[in-house]
Amino acid sequence: MSKRLIPDTLLLEERAAYALNAMVGMADEDFDGIPFFSANLNHKPAYMKHGDWDFGSSHGRMVDAMILARLMSGSAYGKEVEERYRANLLSFFKEDGMCYRGENPVKKNWEPNANLIDQRAALLALTTWYMTTGDQKAKEAADRHVAALKRIAIKDTDIWYYPASEYKETGWPSMNGVQLRLAPDPASFCGRLVMPLHKYYELTGNMDAYELCQFFSHLIIHRSGVYNEDGSFNSALAYRSGHFHTRLGTLDAIARFGYHNRDASMINWVKKSYDWALTWCTAFGWTPGDMHEQAYEHETCSLVDLISTGITLAKSGYAQYWGIVERFLRNHLAESQLLDLSWVEESDDKSNDVRGLTSYYKVAQRTRGSFAGYSAPNDFICDHVHGRGHTSDLQICCLGSGTRGLFMGWSNTVTEQNGTVSVNFLLSRGSRWLDISSYLPYEGKVDLDIRCDITKLQVRIPEWAGYTKIRFTRKIGEETLEGTGKEPSRWTGTSFLQLGAAREGEKITITFPLSTRTTIETAVGEQFETAWRGDDVVDIAPRGKYKPLYSGRPNQDLTPMREGEYHRPHEECEW
């Protein structure tokens, strides 16, 4: 592949290739290829640990994320590990169609059961697997799985629900739970399931999946009590203290279902709660873990839910969320990915490993590219005086979610609908329509290299750039056209600069002033002085103690360049 000079700025497809390293490295070759769930990087030496999430949840997230990472990057690295993950995943399904947890040789209290949280990741993986390969094994397993999820649901007149967090081959543990209609934490066990169920329905037309989406959504919105009337999260202990990942994941799921059905009331219900959630988050994307015990423990999973929900709201006509999501992508998602491990002490042998439990072997090398399991706003390691103190630094669920977050940003950077091509995020990437080269955060400048004729082209301009000083040049052959953002016809009441038709071979350069500012961000009562260049945080005070975040970030006016080329997947894979 020929290379050219491109800006040395954030490239999401490159980050996906780093994530593949961790998804391969965290597989435990001494324990059937089952991935470790968590890691303690602050321990000397660092170690990885298995957990009871190792089965459907971890394998589902890894299969889904590895497929997405390959679409973005074109990398074939670790295909044999991915095949092992797929085989393991299929082996967890039993005759009843449910995905079960296995036993562990060390932790004898790991009771085999079909945990309802695991089912979401398992179905998501099967859906992504079938979507990209057409493999009938994946579809057959998914069809049986969806049928099982419908069969075991307790069905009232207007809602369906699950009365316990685990299902067994003998059925629900207690019929009393069914009769009392307990429905523990519906967001965790029903709400988040709507996302893969709806995707599977879109892909295959499976009506069982659609019915589950209907009744679970009605449960969440009208009967569950998970969300209060004003959109806030119910913080009662029975609702996991307002656990952000499961609440935001449910909003993501229902937003997608509402968007598909063009249901404005459902979208507005999501928006009300999403806007409330934003008041608990920082502008750069740190989220609480919950509203009480885990309040100080940010999960990358929660951030990716914020990203995905914001994208669906933006697609629904609320264009202001494009800018909010771009800040999340540029900052806490990118900063939460572990690339520098010089501070981590690792062991070169397995002498202290315990099969099925822990490994100290080359942990730093094996986890490079993973995402923070729990982090502070200014530190990769969360060791807060409140809450639970230091727990773990990596969780494999966050590795899977973080990679999906990269994909959501990458696949929505440039989109096409009814002949209109929209550049939604000012991030570098290639596509079949155009290549975007972003000079942010060094300069307020974006180059667009047009690869085919476009009927209508529009580019989102950050709100801090205004419009009076926006300039653009359009060059094709010997012809050059210049324009400004002052022209009223260039705007349609949104933040998108209207450029009209574009021709193959044309090069468009857009420039605007770069905003530098300082804000005070609040995270569960603590304040952080945050310095910005455009949408990028370049410094934060106070600095973190263990692995400071946002230190040493770009803070210069000249964009560094490098040789490179953007990966463009085959047309049929651009979702």
Side-chain angles (χ1 to χ4, degrees):
M1 180 185 294
S2 61
K3 294 188 176 183
R4 53 177 167 161
L5 283 179
I6 61 173
D8 191 6
T9 55
L10 178 62
L11 193 57
L12 298 182
E13 64 198 51
E14 185 175 65
R15 294 303 193 94
Y18 287 131
L20 273 174
N21 176 76
M23 287 186 270
V24 172
M26 292 183 78
D28 187 351
E29 61 185 18
D30 298 321
F31 187 46
D32 303 325
I34 292 174
F36 290 96
F37 176 71
S38 62
N40 185 329
L41 301 178
N42 206 36
H43 190 271
K44 299 186 185 304
Y47 64 86
M48 296 186 289
K49 191 171 184 178
H50 283 291
D52 55 359
W53 300 99
D54 285 353
F55 302 96
S57 178
S58 292
H59 281 79
R61 289 178 182 271
M62 290 300 93
V63 171
D64 172 66
M66 293 185 90
I67 292 170
L68 300 185
R70 295 192 198 288
L71 285 174
M72 293 176 66
S73 65
S75 173
Y77 177 68
K79 286 289 289 185
E80 68 286 350
V81 172
E82 182 183 341
E83 290 303 318
R84 185 63 179 271
Y85 285 157
R86 295 191 192 204
N88 280 348
L89 178 63
L90 290 180
S91 74
F92 302 147
F93 286 91
K94 296 195 175 182
E95 287 299 315
D96 64 1
M98 296 292 286
C99 183
Y100 282 79
R101 293 183 174 184
E103 295 182 348
N104 181 276
V106 179
K107 293 287 188 177
K108 299 299 183 182
N109 60 335
W110 289 7
E111 183 182 14
N113 64 76
N115 185 285
L116 268 298
I117 291 180
D118 295 359
Q119 310 309 307
R120 175 194 177 272
L123 180 58
L124 180 61
L126 294 174
T127 301
T128 308
W129 180 352
Y130 179 62
M131 181 184 293
T132 50
T133 66
D135 191 333
Q136 287 300 308
K137 293 195 304 294
K139 184 177 187 300
E140 289 166 6
D143 284 339
R144 288 195 302 271
H145 192 207
V146 171
L149 291 170
K150 179 179 177 179
R151 186 184 68 252
I152 70 171
I154 306 305
K155 302 170 182 69
D156 280 354
T157 53
D158 59 342
I159 61 168
W160 294 356
Y161 66 92
Y162 299 128
S165 59
E166 291 92 19
Y167 182 83
K168 295 186 176 182
E169 289 182 274
T170 54
W172 291 113
S174 169
M175 284 306 297
N176 193 43
V178 173
Q179 292 161 358
L180 293 176
R181 297 187 293 184
L182 293 179
D185 194 13
S188 296
F189 307 132
C190 302
R192 292 174 66 244
L193 256 173
V194 171
M195 184 270 208
L197 284 166
H198 177 252
K199 193 66 183 177
Y200 192 65
Y201 162 73
E202 282 190 310
L203 180 63
T204 66
N206 185 302
M207 288 306 298
D208 287 344
Y210 188 82
E211 272 194 295
L212 285 161
C213 291
Q214 284 182 303
F215 286 103
F216 285 166
S217 295
H218 196 87
L219 164 71
I220 294 297
I221 296 172
H222 300 290
R223 298 285 298 279
S224 71
V226 173
Y227 303 87
N228 299 317
E229 284 296 319
D230 63 355
S232 61
F233 300 169
N234 189 331
S235 66
L237 188 61
Y239 293 95
R240 297 187 67 187
S241 301
H243 184 242
F244 265 65
H245 173 30
T246 47
R247 310 310 96 159
L248 292 169
T250 296
L251 293 181
D252 169 35
I254 293 178
R256 290 167 181 257
F257 190 54
Y259 179 75
H260 171 82
N261 290 316
R262 300 298 185 262
D263 188 328
S265 64
M266 192 173 284
I267 291 294
N268 285 327
W269 180 87
V270 171
K271 182 181 183 299
K272 178 171 64 175
S273 196
Y274 186 81
D275 288 343
W276 176 87
L278 289 177
T279 67
W280 277 67
C281 306
T282 67
F284 52 80
W286 183 91
T287 73
D290 65 16
M291 299 170 69
H292 293 291
E293 294 81 11
Q294 295 175 238
Y296 295 90
E297 299 170 15
H298 164 84
E299 296 178 70
T300 299
C301 294
S302 300
L303 171 55
V304 174
D305 297 330
L306 271 185
I307 288 168
S308 186
T309 309
I311 287 171
T312 302
L313 290 173
K315 288 181 173 180
S316 299
Y318 297 104
Q320 67 269 27
Y321 294 107
W322 290 121
I324 291 171
V325 171
E326 179 160 342
R327 286 197 295 274
F328 296 163
L329 292 166
R330 287 181 169 276
N331 294 296
H332 221 62
L333 183 65
E335 201 69 5
S336 293
Q337 190 173 22
L338 187 63
L339 301 180
D340 170 25
L341 288 108
S342 59
W343 55 283
V344 177
E345 181 180 308
E346 67 177 3
S347 173
D348 287 331
D349 64 69
K350 298 183 178 182
S351 58
N352 292 318
D353 289 8
V354 178
R355 183 179 182 274
L357 184 62
T358 56
S359 175
Y360 297 83
Y361 180 62
K362 295 185 177 180
V363 171
Q365 296 177 46
R366 294 167 68 183
T367 59
R368 185 171 188 253
S370 54
F371 288 83
Y374 296 121
S375 69
N378 62 348
D379 205 318
F380 194 92
I381 290 179
C382 181
D383 187 12
H384 206 278
V385 294
H386 299 297
R388 301 185 301 172
H390 181 255
T391 53
S392 61
D393 305 314
L394 302 179
Q395 297 180 103
I396 206 165
C397 56
C398 292
L399 172 55
S401 285
T403 306
R404 178 162 271 276
L406 296 175
F407 180 80
M408 291 301 296
W410 177 84
S411 62
N412 286 282
T413 293
V414 54
T415 56
E416 185 273 338
Q417 186 173 22
N418 300 325
T420 297
V421 173
S422 301
V423 176
N424 305 310
F425 302 132
L426 300 186
L427 296 166
S428 295
R429 77 150 286 187
S431 75
R432 66 176 180 268
W433 304 289
L434 51 80
D435 289 350
I436 308 164
S437 294
S438 174
Y439 292 74
L440 295 163
Y442 302 97
E443 304 171 64
K445 176 181 174 182
V446 179
D447 287 336
L448 307 177
D449 290 292
I450 310 302
R451 303 188 69 243
C452 67
D453 289 347
I454 297 172
T455 303
K456 182 182 177 183
L457 175 63
Q458 58 180 18
V459 180
R460 187 187 63 82
I461 303 297
E463 66 274 12
W464 43 259
Y467 64 91
T468 60
K469 296 187 181 298
I470 294 169
R471 302 285 186 272
F472 62 86
T473 60
R474 308 183 63 158
K475 296 181 179 180
I476 184 166
E478 299 300 318
E479 181 183 357
T480 299
L481 173 68
E482 295 185 354
T484 75
K486 289 184 178 180
E487 304 167 46
S489 62
R490 295 293 176 189
W491 306 92
T492 56
T494 68
S495 53
F496 282 84
L497 176 66
Q498 304 298 317
L499 294 171
R503 291 183 287 171
E504 181 180 357
E506 187 175 1
K507 181 168 185 175
I508 303 174
T509 297
I510 304 170
T511 60
F512 42 81
L514 187 65
S515 167
T516 57
R517 62 199 185 280
T518 299
T519 63
I520 302 298
E521 301 295 327
T522 302
V524 196
E526 297 194 356
Q527 293 189 330
F528 297 86
E529 185 176 281
T530 309
W532 300 78
R533 285 181 67 91
D535 281 324
D536 286 66
V537 173
V538 293
D539 198 10
I540 190 168
R543 291 282 179 91
K545 176 182 177 182
Y546 301 96
K547 176 63 174 72
L549 302 179
Y550 301 105
S551 58
R553 282 194 129 203
N555 197 6
Q556 62 192 59
D557 298 330
L558 184 63
T559 306
M561 305 294 286
R562 60 168 172 165
E563 283 193 345
E565 186 52 87
Y566 305 125
H567 174 66
R568 303 182 196 91
H570 296 301
E571 182 174 330
E572 64 269 17
C573 289
E574 292 204 54
W575 300 349

